[in-house]
Amino acid sequence: MTGESRLGRRVVYGVSGLLLICAAMVYGRLLYLGWSEFSAGQDALTSPNSKEAVVHFERALQLYLPWGGASESAARELLKLAEDFESRGETQSALETYRTVRGGLYGARSFYTPHREWIALCDEKIARLMSKLPPETKREKGQTEDERYRDALALMAPPSRPRLIGSLAAVVGLLGWVGGTLGLIWRGLDRRPGMGWRLLFWGGVTLIFYFCWVFGLSRA
């Protein structure tokens, strides 16, 4: 193995390790922020103004992480607060809190939607609370509360999901692009015999996956 090849491997290993460290630091930072907001929300529950707790729990819910995050715990606390608002007759506050949970869960979805049962609960609660609000339009004034409830529930249709094929193409393309680039640096620039063919191969792989990534982004 030539000195240039060993140096290239060390560079690849060093860059890969640095990227992993950076990713871990970002993940850890988001993890810390999420649980800090959750803790602040719990502290705010002891104050007379429980709406401050809603603000902190909402921030924790938005800092969604697939593992170890505070989003799920924040969603539970928000649902409890919404039920408390509802029991006290604070319809508008309850409505806003249920909408916060619903929006946060939909915002966290990718290939799957987390806690569909909570979203279904929020849909039902939002529709019921909207039906209890004073009617505003001429149509609403001529309807019963149950009719307004059914109309409101019909509006709770889930937003359009990302296209599965486009999303998969974007993920595969990104991973392949990164892998092809590392292969180009690691293998393609090795000055052993046949370097030209290796450059052509790994360069082609990199370009193919790059265009796959761009295609996926446009179709997701």
Side-chain angles (χ1 to χ4, degrees):
M1 184 182 292
T2 65
E4 291 86 351
S5 178
R6 287 195 296 270
L7 179 61
R9 288 175 182 269
R10 290 172 183 171
V11 170
V12 170
Y13 290 147
V15 171
S16 300
L18 182 61
L19 290 175
L20 287 175
I21 292 172
C22 290
M25 291 176 63
V26 171
Y27 199 95
R29 177 63 175 170
L30 292 176
L31 193 68
Y32 169 76
L33 290 175
W35 284 110
S36 295
E37 290 292 345
F38 180 79
S39 178
Q42 287 188 312
D43 292 339
L45 287 175
T46 60
S47 65
N49 184 15
S50 54
K51 291 185 178 180
E52 182 182 350
V54 173
V55 173
H56 289 293
F57 288 138
E58 181 181 3
R59 291 173 182 167
L61 177 60
Q62 292 173 347
L63 292 168
Y64 178 80
L65 292 173
W67 302 287
S71 297
E72 185 172 322
S73 298
R76 287 197 182 95
E77 293 297 332
L78 285 168
L79 287 173
K80 291 178 184 178
L81 283 169
E83 291 172 355
D84 289 341
F85 287 138
E86 190 177 359
S87 65
R88 296 200 299 264
E90 299 179 32
T91 302
Q92 195 61 44
S93 295
L95 187 59
E96 291 173 358
T97 307
Y98 282 123
R99 284 172 172 166
T100 295
V101 177
R102 183 179 187 270
L105 293 175
Y106 271 129
R109 70 178 182 169
S110 53
F111 295 117
Y112 76 102
T113 302
H115 295 292
R116 292 175 180 270
E117 70 282 6
W118 290 354
I119 294 176
L121 172 65
C122 290
D123 288 348
E124 193 278 330
K125 290 289 190 179
I126 291 169
R128 182 61 68 188
L129 290 170
M130 288 177 65
S131 70
K132 295 179 181 297
L133 295 175
E136 296 179 354
T137 65
K138 185 177 180 180
R139 172 182 169 82
E140 290 176 347
K141 291 177 181 178
Q143 290 179 314
T144 64
E145 184 176 309
D146 285 340
E147 289 173 335
R148 293 200 300 274
Y149 165 74
R150 288 192 293 270
D151 283 354
L153 191 60
L155 296 174
M156 295 292 105
S160 59
R161 299 184 61 181
R163 297 174 184 173
L164 181 59
I165 296 299
S167 300
L168 285 174
V171 173
V172 172
L174 178 61
L175 294 177
W177 180 27
V178 173
T181 302
L182 292 177
L184 180 63
I185 297 172
W186 191 356
R187 297 292 187 182
L189 299 179
D190 190 342
R191 295 188 178 183
R192 291 178 299 175
M195 176 181 174
W197 287 108
R198 289 195 300 276
L199 276 173
L200 183 62
F201 173 77
W202 286 108
V205 168
T206 303
L207 284 176
I208 288 171
F209 279 108
Y210 171 76
F211 286 117
C212 179
W213 175 60
V214 173
F215 171 79
L217 291 179
S218 66
R219 297 294 181 178

